[in-house]
Amino acid sequence: MYMKVKRLVDVVLSSFGILILLPLFFIIIIAIKIDSKGPIFFKQKRLGINKTYFEILKFRTMRMDAPKDTPTHLLNNSKQYITNVGKILRKTSLDELPQIWNILIGQMSIIGPRPALWNQYDLISERNKYGANDIPPGLTGWAQINGRDELPIKEKAKLDGEYVERISFFMDIKCFIGTIVSVLKSEGVVEGGKGTTVEKKVVGSKERV
C-alpha cells in the first residue's frame, strides 16, 4: 500500500520540483556551456527496479577529453578532467538534479537505494541478498546518509537492505532530512584515487557513480 502512496508523492514532488527549479536549471545549463565544450547532460546506464535498465541523467561535470570507459576514482589525477563548474556541481550534488526527470517518469524514486551501474556486479549481487534490487532506486537513500562513497560494497548493500526492511513514510522523511544535512556538510564524497573503499571492478563510465 505504501509503495502506491510513495509513487504519488514522487510524482507530485518531482513535478513541483521541476517547476520551482527551472531558473536554477537554466543558470546551471548556461554555466556548463560557457565553461566547457560538450553536451549539457551526462547519461549513464543504471540498474532499475527488478534489475531492468534505464539511463540516469546528470549535469555533465567532466571535460570531453577525459578517458573513456573509466570511472573517476580509477583515473590518475582525475581532478584535471573535472570542469570548474563541475567541481561546484559535485561538491553541492547539484549535478544530480536532472534525475528529477527520472523520478517523474517512474524510473526512480526520491528515496531508495542509489541505482548501481550496470556492471557493478558485486554490489548488485550483494543487494540481491536483501531484495534491494526489487524496489525503485532513489535519488538518495539510507546508505547515502550513512557514508555515501566511503562505504565498502557489503556495508552499502546491507544498509540498502535495512531500508527495504524499514521502508515507510517516516523512514523516507528521515532519509530526506539526513540528505539535506549531508549535502550541506559535503559528507562522504570521494573523488579520484582516494576512494579506496569503492568497488574497483567497475568499468564503463567516466563520471562518478
Side-chain angles (χ1 to χ4, degrees):
M1 178 62 185
Y2 174 64
M3 296 306 291
K4 292 182 178 180
V5 174
K6 182 177 174 70
R7 175 58 190 154
L8 178 60
V9 172
D10 284 340
V11 171
V12 172
L13 292 184
S14 59
S15 299
F16 185 70
I18 288 175
L19 291 175
I20 294 298
L21 294 171
L22 270 179
L24 178 58
F25 273 47
F26 283 127
I27 292 173
I28 293 175
I29 288 170
I30 293 171
I32 290 173
K33 295 304 292 184
I34 292 175
D35 185 44
S36 63
K37 295 181 179 180
I40 296 166
F41 299 105
F42 171 72
K43 297 180 180 180
Q44 193 175 59
K45 186 179 179 180
R46 295 289 182 108
L47 198 73
I49 185 172
N50 297 322
K51 288 180 281 190
T52 56
Y53 297 111
F54 73 102
E55 285 192 327
I56 199 171
L57 289 176
K58 295 185 178 186
F59 283 121
R60 181 176 59 84
T61 61
M62 300 188 76
R63 301 200 320 253
M64 297 307 294
D65 63 340
K68 294 182 179 180
D69 300 326
T70 305
T72 307
H73 68 278
L74 292 184
L75 293 176
N76 292 322
N77 191 17
S78 64
K79 292 182 179 180
Q80 66 178 311
Y81 298 111
I82 301 174
T83 65
N84 292 325
V85 170
K87 293 174 184 177
I88 298 173
L89 295 179
R90 285 172 174 239
K91 186 176 180 62
T92 58
S93 295
L94 290 175
D95 60 320
E96 309 283 358
L97 284 182
Q99 290 161 47
I100 294 176
W101 175 254
N102 293 118
I103 294 170
L104 180 62
I105 64 177
Q107 294 173 330
M108 292 176 60
S109 179
I110 294 174
I111 308 296
R114 280 297 293 166
L117 281 163
W118 66 273
N119 53 3
Q120 277 186 294
Y121 304 118
D122 287 358
L123 177 58
I124 294 169
S125 178
E126 285 295 318
R127 282 178 170 175
N128 276 336
K129 299 176 182 179
Y130 304 103
N133 292 317
D134 301 326
I135 64 172
L139 178 64
T140 184
W142 188 235
Q144 277 57 57
I145 65 173
N146 285 284
R148 201 172 174 178
D149 294 341
E150 296 176 344
L151 294 173
I153 294 297
K154 289 187 177 181
E155 187 174 343
K156 183 182 292 185
K158 186 176 180 181
L159 286 167
D160 290 331
E162 288 180 11
Y163 174 76
V164 173
E165 289 182 0
R166 300 167 58 186
I167 191 167
S168 66
F169 177 75
F170 295 106
M171 183 62 166
D172 282 356
I173 291 295
K174 189 173 183 178
C175 290
F176 187 82
I177 295 174
T179 297
I180 295 174
V181 174
S182 294
V183 169
L184 291 176
K185 293 182 178 180
S186 297
E187 292 178 340
V189 179
V190 177
E191 299 288 8
K194 297 179 181 179
T196 55
T197 59
V198 180
E199 176 56 46
K200 294 195 174 183
K201 292 183 180 179
V202 179
V203 293
S205 169
K206 62 181 180 181
E207 291 271 341
R208 70 184 171 101
V209 173

